[in-house]
Amino acid sequence: MSSPAERYAAARRRAAQASAFPALHEFAQELGFGLDDFQREACEALERGSGVLVCAPTGAGKTVVGEFAVHLALRGGPTAADGGGPPMRRKCFYTTPIKALSNQKYHDLVDRYGAEQVGLLTGDNAINGDAPVVVMTTEVLRNMLYAGSATLEGLAYVVMDEVHYLADRFRGGVWEEVIIHLPASVTLVSLSATVSNAEEFADWLVTVRGETAVVVSEHRPVPLWQHMLVGKRMFDLFHDADAARKHDVHPELLRYTRDTMRRLELGEGRSAGPGAGRRGPRWRGPMRPDIVDRLDREGLLPAILFIFSRAGCDAAVQQCLAAGLRLTTPEERAEIRRVVESRVTAIPGEDLSVLGYWEWLDGLERGLAAHHAGMLPAFKEVVEELFVRGLVKAVFATETLALGINMPARCVVLERLVKFNGEAHVDLTPGEYTQLTGRAGRRGIDVEGHAVVVWSPETDPRHVAGLASTRTYPLRSSFRPSYNMAVNLVGSVGAEPARALLESSFAQFQADRSVVGLARQVQRNTEMIGSYGAEAACHHGDFDEYFALRVAIADRERALARQGQTQRKAAAIASLERLRVGDVIRVPSGRRAGLAVVLDPATGGFGEPRPLVLTQDRWAGRVTPGDFTTPAEVLARIRVPKHFNHRSPAARRDLAAAVSGTGLDRHGGRRGGRSKQAVGEDHRLSQLRAELRRHPCHACPDREEHARWAERSRRLERDTEELRQRVAGRTGSLARTFDRIVALLTARGYLSADGEVTDAGRMLGRIWTEADLLVAECLRRKVWDGLSPAELAAAVSVVVFEARRDVDERASLPRGPIADAVDETLKLWSDIEADEAARGLAVTREPDLGFAWPIYRWARGEALAKVLASGHQIDGEMPAGDFVRWARQVVDLLGQLADSGGASTEVRATARQAITAVKRGVLAYHGAA
């Protein structure tokens, strides 16, 4: 118990705070809970008129600071200039990176302030856009700023939730555009996950936005306990908080994993008798149903189990259902069914069966669900709602959930610490690990959160300890100028001021700072090279001269080897160009080594020949000259059926049997070894070797020791030259890129010679897509004129769609006008790419034809089952979630065409019809908002 004097002093402090920060006092009284220190510090800075950057862990309550900015805006500003009257009406824009977050925040604010005070603007929804508080995606605000929208009048605060998204390589630049272009009168509230360079980011914010307070909190309101599950045993990762700070793994966990590894190795080495040499018992970790059951028994549900594969998430639910898991009561099951049925009424019955509705509902009723980007958005939203309400107990999710809406759990499980990033399997970074495990522990519900990593022989507990304890994940800018940005900047401020604006970006700020470190490294390297040179000095003669001869000999030998390689490749290309359908060849190396029959010679096109073949192992795909170390030799010929379908397993099996039936040896009598070049016969090489032998340093007994120092010096000189080039490249790098873009746009007529934006440029300035210049060129060349609504949807899909995986062969197209329009688009892209390459610019991505058939069929009114089956996928039909996502992007671009002043009247009308044709069935669903 505190004394009366202490209570009196505390009351005095509270009264002083209330008088110093009256708005915060009002706001805090409405909250119903006490503010944390970091929340109070940030809100006080905001009330003082300062901008603020708040960095805190997931679930710490950063959004309270954003909501205080909303409160300040609604409270009103200073009174009118006449000295009396009501406070001036002020606005607050609350921006989020994704529509789902915008929808959720809109509902939160409506519940608090009423529907008349709050609006929502996303790509899908426009509700009460003139309200004093508007929730929107960041792109919507960027577009408003460039268009000089009247909605910006009276704007006092902008909240940028999840501002660390500016590191996103696809969309991150939008955040910087907004921060740079917001009027100086607007106070910026930046809310970020914990990053290690918050001070650097804040320093930049000060340079572009003025006074900005930095508030960093490492404290998690709900403590997080880290564990590892090894087989059937659960271990704490750390013994206590002190061990966690030192990265000291629990000794018992280390001992048990070492013993387990030893047993596995002994098991593998113990085979004897007829099976000797075979691998022994493989490690089989705990089954997914067993993990969920264990979490249930230990009171750790609800849980999110991260599996970095869509198919893995779906399989996990099926495995739990097959194991008979049931995590819900009869009352919960009834409520789940009621919620689901109310949410899917807009989706036609025949589509529900295609979408696996009944299996999905069965999982939900048992408290189990998957959550990934391949799911229908409507299904994902239902899973999110049921999980937040505690009705679904276990969700198997990909990492996209960690970036999405607020779905906290009591426990988070990581099945692996490796994920596929679209190009390769890579380790999780400390930032990603923290983001994923940050979901564990629900404020106000759980006393503590739990993160569990499932052990496997590849998982070192010390590595996990490093991930769990590391706080070094800096925010790195992904900003780069685009064509659309260039015309908008030049149009709004002029070419020279636009360059200055780009140089004020966070990207250039970071590049300039890094130059200081690089320059220091160049200086250190130069000193080191001098000391290496002293060590390499030889009393017999000039060792630098002698070493230069050695380097020249090595370079000449490499050049001769490359020459031989080039000749071998040319011979392989020539042999592949001569192939015909039915030729049986031998692929000498690589994963597809063995006999193969040619299905499609693929000659006559541009580039190297890539014939489509079927191997005797039944693999069908294209081979390249790189697969052939020797020229392809026709060993036999067999008949290939006229309409052979290489996608049919039965057809592949029969033809592969015919290949094997030729009786040819799979590997041939000789291996595709490389013929050795008679390098000694080269005149220049003989000359260099003779000079080397005559040099006085060749006789030095310490020759090789000197050479080692000279080699170190040469490597360091090469590295130092690279550093010098990086210094030169980073200084003013964005402005140089901008100049090249401006030169290209001027040459193509989007900007005039004196730096004015032309009519074509104004059209480009209203196209918001990655391939903005290609879309503008298609409109100017009238590539899309004369198409029907379904044909237009298919034609524009090629500039927005991007397949998740590379597919060897080009997707087919509906015949007629679509094929012609796409051919024209590809020609325009080829021109743009050549122009970009010549100017040293990043090239526009090649159009992808893989979505043309699905969107064409959908726009013509065909059934969802047929549409999904027509996707150009490697592994079967297109997932419904992918279809909806790409279809929405097509609709978004069609909407831009419908409003574009540069499009013909015909294209604008057709685009509107195409939007109506596409927005049906699963596309008509707008989500919770």
Side-chain angles (χ1 to χ4, degrees):
M1 281 290 287
S2 56
S3 68
E6 286 169 335
R7 287 199 296 275
Y8 176 70
R12 288 282 301 269
R13 277 196 303 275
R14 284 196 298 273
Q17 279 180 335
S19 63
F21 302 102
L24 179 56
H25 182 65
E26 287 168 22
F27 177 71
Q29 284 185 317
E30 296 168 8
L31 282 177
F33 58 84
L35 290 171
D36 290 343
D37 290 346
F38 86 91
Q39 293 168 331
R40 181 171 292 281
E41 184 187 344
C43 291
E44 287 176 357
L46 209 48
E47 190 165 355
R48 282 196 299 267
S50 168
V52 66
L53 167 65
V54 183
C55 298
T58 304
K62 297 184 287 287
T63 52
V64 166
V65 184
E67 286 163 11
F68 180 58
V70 171
H71 176 82
L72 286 173
L74 291 175
R75 193 170 182 262
T79 54
D82 59 8
M88 286 168 58
R89 174 179 143 125
R90 298 194 296 180
K91 288 184 180 178
C92 176
F93 287 172
Y94 198 112
T95 72
T96 72
I98 54 178
K99 293 171 188 173
L101 263 173
S102 293
N103 290 340
Q104 189 182 46
K105 199 74 222 172
Y106 168 73
H107 288 302
D108 291 347
L109 293 173
V110 164
D111 290 345
R112 184 160 180 171
Y113 297 109
E116 68 285 348
Q117 296 275 48
V118 185
L120 174 70
L121 294 174
T122 67
D124 295 335
N125 291 297
I127 302 168
N128 197 16
D130 292 322
V133 177
V134 185
V135 183
M136 61 184 70
T137 47
T138 317
E139 278 84 354
V140 170
L141 177 54
R142 186 269 312 269
N143 299 356
M144 275 187 191
L145 289 166
Y146 279 143
S149 169
T151 315
L152 296 166
E153 198 175 324
L155 182 62
Y157 297 93
V158 166
V159 180
M160 301 196 82
D161 204 352
E162 311 279 350
V163 77
H164 52 270
Y165 252 81
L166 68 75
D168 183 87
R169 68 192 177 106
F170 297 113
R171 298 169 56 215
V174 177
W175 275 253
E176 289 187 51
E177 287 181 79
V178 168
I179 291 168
I180 292 167
H181 286 97
L182 275 174
S185 58
V186 175
T187 301
L188 187 67
V189 181
S190 307
L191 309 178
S192 169
T194 316
V195 292
S196 56
N197 62 333
E199 286 73 18
E200 179 187 36
F201 185 47
D203 288 349
W204 173 68
L205 285 173
V206 168
T207 63
V208 291
R209 303 295 318 158
E211 188 186 350
T212 304
V214 191
V215 180
V216 178
S217 172
E218 292 275 357
H219 174 69
R220 276 183 54 97
V222 180
L224 178 66
W225 292 96
Q226 310 269 357
H227 313 279
M228 284 199 83
L229 183 61
V230 188
K232 293 184 179 179
R233 291 192 58 181
M234 184 94 79
F235 294 89
D236 290 340
L237 184 59
F238 303 113
H239 184 262
D240 54 28
D242 192 43
R245 278 192 293 275
K246 295 176 184 170
H247 300 205
D248 287 344
V249 178
H250 201 298
E252 196 180 340
L253 169 60
L254 279 177
R255 191 162 50 248
Y256 190 80
T257 51
R258 281 193 198 114
D259 290 347
T260 306
M261 285 295 290
R262 203 173 295 119
R263 283 197 301 275
L264 284 169
E265 285 161 10
L266 285 171
E268 287 180 5
R270 206 169 44 220
S271 303
R278 285 202 308 246
R279 287 179 66 84
R282 282 176 56 244
W283 170 255
R284 286 186 178 82
M287 303 294 283
R288 290 160 177 165
D290 295 338
I291 295 174
V292 175
D293 186 47
R294 168 111 189 223
L295 296 176
D296 187 28
R297 281 187 281 110
E298 297 198 10
L300 293 178
L301 296 180
I304 300 170
L305 297 94
F306 283 109
I307 298 171
F308 302 118
S309 147
R310 296 176 178 188
C313 291
D314 293 333
V317 175
Q318 293 306 316
Q319 288 157 12
C320 290
L321 295 180
L325 273 186
R326 192 182 292 279
L327 307 171
T328 51
T329 64
E331 294 76 23
E332 287 173 330
R333 287 196 285 280
E335 177 62 9
I336 288 167
R337 185 173 279 268
R338 188 194 65 74
V339 170
V340 172
E341 287 175 352
S342 69
R343 294 288 183 275
V344 299
T345 48
I347 301 171
E350 66 271 17
D351 289 352
L352 287 176
S353 55
V354 175
L355 296 165
Y357 170 75
W358 299 108
E359 297 88 340
W360 174 68
L361 179 59
D362 184 26
L364 289 177
E365 288 187 338
R366 296 193 195 195
L368 300 157
H371 187 289
H372 56 73
M375 289 169 65
L376 192 70
F379 284 15
K380 276 201 302 183
E381 286 172 21
V382 170
V383 171
E384 289 159 4
E385 181 183 345
L386 294 176
F387 189 79
V388 169
R389 289 180 57 183
L391 295 168
V392 164
K393 319 289 184 180
V395 168
F396 297 94
T398 54
E399 77 276 12
T400 51
L401 179 77
L403 306 172
I405 67 164
N406 185 25
M407 266 182 74
R410 181 167 296 164
C411 178
V412 162
V413 178
L414 298 181
E415 193 175 78
R416 297 178 69 208
L417 296 176
V418 174
K419 67 167 190 171
F420 187 72
N421 67 358
E423 294 167 4
H425 286 89
V426 294
D427 290 338
L428 285 185
T429 64
E432 288 166 335
Y433 182 88
T434 304
Q435 186 89 31
L436 295 167
T437 55
R439 292 272 168 199
R442 297 163 298 172
R443 190 168 191 175
I445 302 173
D446 299 322
V447 178
E448 57 195 25
H450 297 268
V452 179
V453 174
V454 180
W455 182 84
S456 67
E458 306 84 54
T459 312
D460 184 346
R462 284 164 300 200
H463 173 61
V464 181
L467 285 177
S469 312
T470 303
R471 290 289 174 269
T472 52
Y473 27 95
L475 199 56
R476 289 273 171 256
S477 172
S478 60
F479 180 82
R480 61 183 177 82
S482 67
Y483 299 114
N484 166 288
M485 187 195 300
V487 292
N488 278 309
L489 279 174
V490 172
S492 56
V493 298
E496 274 310 308
R499 285 178 99 254
L501 269 174
L502 285 175
E503 292 194 312
S504 68
S505 69
F506 187 44
Q508 193 61 59
F509 185 82
Q510 286 191 313
D512 291 345
R513 279 201 166 186
S514 68
V515 161
V516 177
L518 290 175
R520 284 200 197 107
Q521 187 62 47
V522 167
Q523 180 63 35
R524 282 196 295 270
N525 286 5
T526 307
E527 291 166 9
M528 195 75 78
I529 288 165
S531 68
Y532 286 173
E535 294 287 349
C538 176
H539 65 282
H540 284 269
D542 185 346
F543 199 85
D544 286 345
E545 187 180 77
Y546 175 75
F547 190 72
L549 283 171
R550 285 176 70 141
V551 170
I553 288 169
D555 288 346
R556 184 64 183 162
E557 285 173 344
R558 274 194 294 272
L560 291 170
R562 272 198 303 273
Q563 195 177 317
Q565 207 174 350
T566 306
Q567 287 166 355
R568 281 197 300 276
K569 187 172 180 182
I573 289 172
S575 68
L576 291 181
E577 284 172 341
R578 290 193 292 269
L579 295 178
R580 294 177 299 158
V581 175
D583 284 349
V584 177
I585 60 172
R586 185 178 288 112
V587 182
S589 60
R591 285 188 303 152
R592 310 300 177 192
L595 298 174
V597 60
V598 177
L599 305 177
D600 172 20
T603 52
F606 295 104
E608 295 176 347
R610 298 174 69 229
L612 179 67
V613 302
L614 173 73
T615 68
Q616 65 190 111
D617 296 326
R618 305 183 194 174
W619 174 81
R622 296 198 178 274
V623 289
T624 67
D627 295 316
F628 291 83
T629 50
T630 55
E633 185 184 346
V634 179
L635 306 171
R637 281 186 60 76
I638 60 173
R639 185 180 164 279
V640 176
K642 190 170 184 184
H643 299 294
F644 180 77
N645 178 10
H646 68 275
R647 293 180 184 276
S648 161
R652 288 204 305 269
R653 182 190 61 223
D654 294 345
L655 192 58
V659 173
S660 299
T662 58
L664 293 164
D665 180 13
R666 181 187 182 93
H667 297 294
R670 57 193 166 85
R671 302 281 176 189
R674 302 185 178 216
S675 59
K676 291 200 173 178
Q677 172 96 5
V679 289
E681 294 171 15
D682 180 70
H683 176 66
R684 176 62 186 146
L685 191 59
S686 304
Q687 205 175 19
L688 286 168
R689 283 176 173 159
E691 279 182 50
L692 186 79
R693 285 191 293 272
R694 286 197 301 269
H695 198 282
C697 289
H698 194 65
C700 177
D702 299 323
R703 180 184 71 197
E704 293 310 310
E705 181 64 19
H706 295 324
R708 274 192 287 276
W709 284 107
E711 177 59 27
R712 285 175 195 162
S713 176
R714 188 172 77 97
R715 279 188 195 153
L716 198 56
E717 276 174 7
R718 196 170 56 217
D719 293 346
T720 306
E721 188 51 40
E722 262 180 44
L723 287 174
R724 287 194 185 102
Q725 286 171 6
R726 280 164 66 189
V727 167
R730 288 186 185 187
T731 311
S733 50
L734 282 179
R736 277 200 303 278
T737 303
F738 178 72
D739 291 342
R740 291 168 190 161
I741 287 173
V742 166
L744 187 149
L745 292 174
T746 305
R748 286 181 171 265
Y750 292 93
L751 296 171
S752 66
D754 54 357
E756 294 296 316
V757 180
T758 63
D759 288 343
R762 277 184 280 279
M763 170 188 68
L764 174 59
R766 292 293 163 266
I767 295 169
W768 314 98
T769 184
E770 202 183 336
D772 44 13
L773 182 58
L774 180 57
V775 172
E777 289 287 292
C778 286
L779 289 174
R780 288 176 78 192
R781 305 284 190 276
K782 303 199 179 302
V783 169
W784 295 327
D785 284 37
L787 298 177
S788 70
E791 289 168 344
L792 180 62
V796 303
S797 77
V798 305
V799 297
V800 296
F801 178 71
E802 184 175 9
R804 290 181 71 226
R805 301 275 198 280
D806 285 339
V807 181
D808 277 346
E809 62 206 79
R810 177 173 148 168
S812 63
L813 289 167
R815 286 186 186 152
I818 297 178
D820 296 340
V822 170
D823 279 345
E824 280 300 308
T825 305
L826 286 166
K827 281 179 193 165
L828 288 174
W829 168 78
S830 186
D831 288 348
I832 291 170
E833 186 204 30
D835 209 346
E836 288 167 330
R839 295 175 192 275
L841 290 166
V843 296
T844 300
R845 180 173 56 79
E846 184 178 0
D848 192 321
L849 283 48
F851 195 57
W853 264 116
I855 196 68
Y856 175 67
R857 285 186 157 159
W858 182 255
R860 286 178 57 189
E862 294 188 26
L864 183 63
K866 202 170 181 181
V867 168
L868 297 181
S870 63
H872 186 64
Q873 305 289 113
I874 296 174
D875 45 4
E877 65 180 34
M878 173 173 266
D882 288 347
F883 170 71
V884 170
R885 187 169 74 258
W886 289 115
R888 282 181 175 168
Q889 292 204 26
V890 169
V891 166
D892 181 63
L893 184 51
L894 288 169
Q896 293 178 42
L897 299 188
D899 297 336
S900 172
S904 66
T905 310
E906 180 194 352
V907 164
R908 290 208 299 272
T910 308
R912 280 189 281 272
Q913 291 170 334
I915 291 169
T916 306
V918 172
K919 290 178 85 169
R920 65 180 180 88
V922 291
L923 264 299
Y925 179 85
H926 277 317

